[in-house]
Amino acid sequence: MNLKSLQEKVRELNEKTKPHYKLYTQTEKEILTKTVKLNEEVGELSAEILKLINYKHHNNTEEQIRQNLLEEAADSIIQVFDILADLKYTKEELIEASEKKIDKWLNQINK
């Protein structure tokens, strides 16, 4: 297989797997944009964790890394709250769902 035939196969695959929906509303577009932003923030949080465990090269002090990690975690949490607010969830619903999920995990671990 050469590059040209590979490109043709990728085009065919893309055409057959193309999403069959459109974003109609401004809210849908905003939620998608915020979801992409959330992924960016989680990536930055992950990078700081890798620095903290010395898996990723850096020139920062541990104190700087810990501060950056805290800020990236806050950014991630803010994005989650922002997305859920757009979807009309409340902080209380998120906390309740989180508690239920933690209880479920603990029950599975304790079996």
Side-chain angles (χ1 to χ4, degrees), residues 83-97:
I83 291 166
L84 291 176
D86 285 349
L87 295 169
K88 309 297 185 224
Y89 289 101
T90 65
K91 292 180 293 187
E92 293 76 20
E93 288 174 307
L94 175 60
I95 291 168
E96 183 180 335

Side-chain angles (χ1 to χ4, degrees), residues 60-96:
N60 300 28
T61 65
E62 182 176 338
E63 184 179 326
Q64 290 170 321
I65 294 168
R66 291 182 58 79
Q67 181 60 39
N68 292 345
L69 197 150
L70 183 61
E71 290 175 13
E72 297 306 337
D75 288 344
S76 297
I77 291 168
I78 290 166
Q79 284 304 127
V80 168
F81 276 117
D82 197 20
I83 291 166
L84 291 176
D86 285 349
L87 295 169
K88 309 297 185 224
Y89 289 101
T90 65
K91 292 180 293 187
E92 293 76 20
E93 288 174 307
L94 175 60
I95 291 168
E96 183 180 335

Side-chain angles (χ1 to χ4, degrees), residues 40-53:
E40 175 194 353
E41 297 300 347
V42 170
E44 292 172 356
L45 175 62
S46 298
E48 294 303 320
I49 290 169
L50 292 175
K51 290 177 190 175
L52 187 66
I53 63 173

Side-chain angles (χ1 to χ4, degrees), residues 7-21:
Q7 288 172 324
E8 288 171 8
K9 286 184 178 276
V10 168
R11 259 191 296 278
E12 179 184 355
L13 178 63
N14 285 341
E15 189 58 39
K16 289 183 178 182
T17 59
K18 185 187 296 183
H20 300 288
Y21 61 87

